Amino acid sequence: MSGMDDEATERLSIGTFARLAGLSPSALRFYDDCGVLPPAEVDPVTGYRRYAPGQRERAVLLRRLRAAGLPLVAAAAVLDGSPERARAVLREWQRRTEEEARLAGEALAEVLRELPGGAPARAVLGGAELAGAVRQVAPAADPGHPLLRCVLLEPADGELRLVATDRYRLSVRAVPARVTARPWPEPLLVEAAALREVAEWVRGAEEVALEAAGADEVWVRDGERERRLPLVAGEFPAYRLVLDALEPVRHRVIADRVALGAALSQARTPVVVRTGGPAGLLVGEMAVPALVTGPGLRVAFDPVVLAGAVESAVGPDVLLELGGEGAGPVRVRSADQGGFTTLVMVVRDGS
């Protein structure tokens, strides 16, 4: 009897449970936020999460489902549904991924057929990581604005941060990088179009280096190859003030990214988004499979702007977070890349 009592009361720290389950602490926090894997206890004073040993089986299964690429909505159906429902979800996901892999293979084969046979301050990072960050952030730049057409590059200890905004959305992505301690020019503003070209150029590189070459240019180097990025003079908006002023999150919606994007592509301007109720998430009049936490909410967006933010996310699902009564911006987060966040402003729906 005492052994059973010990099992019932034993609690593990998030770090210990993460090692036991093969998940990172940040993944556990994300799954808690989404309501898929909440801890057994949360300290009301410190906010520390504590897990029961018996939760390991669910965590390991969730890790395996995520390794297979399942969206959290589908993973939740496998975790909490009947065996018949779980098998149906997994078979459909297998069919979908096999078809996507076939189409991707055909597209890559076509591209491959068309291809022809004093040290400065430096930030060294993976070429694929830089290209992915640019793909996510650059769409938020405003090509018609003299300053907001740029992406802000912020080298810091252990990371390179990319920021862009068109005043209706704000995208921020942090990428791990080895950064020297030497001073960098401030600010590092690069035209989004030029940065996109360089990102495509280095996509296949194992490592690339960004090197400051004075106050008006940065060089991107990949071994023997190099490309120049001219810097744009000006003062970028104080985006950190916007991030610091965000209200605490009260509403969370985890949705299939493709399904949400499809619903937004058919929506009118503005589109009214509703959470709660039997449908979980309504985009206009279209129901989207979603996991919803917090009270019900009605809020409106420009569907083109929100769809752009959803498209920039990575992975099969996307997390939307709002605070208060939904009057502030919505945070669009990527489950597969916690360093990426986009803010999208709400609009009036005319009702």
Side-chain angles (χ1 to χ4, degrees):
M1 180 66 73
S2 62
M4 294 179 61
D5 291 341
D6 291 344
E7 171 67 20
T9 58
E10 182 182 0
R11 294 294 180 260
L12 305 174
S13 69
I14 191 171
T16 300
F17 186 73
R19 290 190 294 272
L20 192 65
L23 291 165
S24 67
S26 63
L28 288 174
R29 296 186 188 97
F30 186 85
Y31 295 146
D32 178 21
D33 288 344
C34 296
V36 176
L37 186 60
E41 295 177 358
V42 178
D43 190 298
V45 177
T46 65
Y48 290 163
R49 296 167 170 87
R50 300 286 180 182
Y51 293 81
Q55 292 183 276
R56 178 180 181 275
E57 183 178 354
R58 182 181 179 90
V60 170
L61 178 55
L62 177 57
R63 170 172 58 80
R64 294 171 63 193
L65 293 173
R66 297 293 285 166
L70 259 75
L72 282 183
V73 174
V78 174
L79 291 168
D80 300 320
S82 66
E84 293 76 15
R85 172 62 175 159
R87 279 191 288 271
V89 170
L90 292 175
R91 288 185 182 122
E92 171 58 23
W93 182 250
Q94 184 178 35
R95 183 205 62 76
R96 175 172 162 182
T97 54
E98 288 175 352
E99 176 65 11
E100 289 176 350
R102 182 187 66 79
L103 295 174
E106 292 176 356
L108 287 172
E110 182 179 355
V111 172
L112 287 170
R113 286 194 298 269
E114 295 175 355
L115 285 176
R122 301 177 83 236
V124 180
L125 66 160
E129 285 73 17
L130 176 60
V134 172
R135 183 191 72 80
Q136 289 180 297
V137 171
D142 181 355
H145 191 281
L147 188 59
L148 300 185
R149 72 183 191 277
C150 297
V151 174
L152 174 66
L153 306 178
E154 281 191 336
D157 291 340
E159 69 178 28
L160 176 70
R161 180 175 290 193
L162 292 80
V163 187
T165 181
D166 60 3
R167 293 164 293 186
Y168 302 102
R169 59 176 165 163
L170 168 67
S171 290
V172 182
R173 170 77 192 280
V175 184
R178 302 194 305 273
V179 181
T180 64
R182 294 180 178 84
W184 286 79
E186 291 187 3
L188 286 172
L189 288 175
V190 178
E191 289 193 12
L195 191 58
R196 277 194 175 103
E197 292 182 8
V198 168
E200 289 301 316
W201 179 69
V202 303
R203 180 180 295 277
E206 182 176 352
E207 278 192 343
V208 297
L210 274 67
E211 298 184 354
D216 59 356
E217 63 184 12
V218 168
W219 286 86
V220 181
R221 293 190 165 91
D222 166 23
E224 299 293 325
R225 306 187 306 162
E226 60 183 20
R227 293 280 291 268
R228 176 178 176 270
L229 278 174
L231 298 180
V232 176
E235 185 174 351
F236 196 77
Y239 77 95
R240 291 179 183 272
L241 296 179
V242 177
L243 296 178
D244 292 342
L246 291 175
E247 295 182 357
V249 175
R250 289 190 60 203
H251 313 269
R252 287 187 172 93
V253 178
I254 185 78
D256 182 300
R257 186 172 64 86
V258 174
L260 179 55
L264 289 168
S265 69
Q266 301 178 41
R268 299 179 302 173
T269 301
V271 59
V272 174
V273 176
R274 300 176 181 87
T275 67
L281 177 65
L282 279 175
V283 178
E285 300 302 322
M286 184 175 295
V288 176
L291 300 174
V292 179
T293 61
L297 182 69
R298 181 184 190 277
V299 66
F301 299 99
D302 183 322
V304 175
V305 176
L306 183 56
V310 170
E311 173 64 24
S312 296
V314 171
D317 42 45
V318 64
L319 174 64
L320 309 181
E321 297 182 330
L322 294 104
E325 299 303 318
V330 61
R331 281 165 273 202
V332 182
R333 292 172 54 195
S334 172
D336 293 301
Q337 291 185 335
F340 173 65
T341 299
T342 297
L343 303 183
V344 177
M345 304 303 151
V346 300
V347 299
R348 296 183 181 274
D349 63 4
S351 61

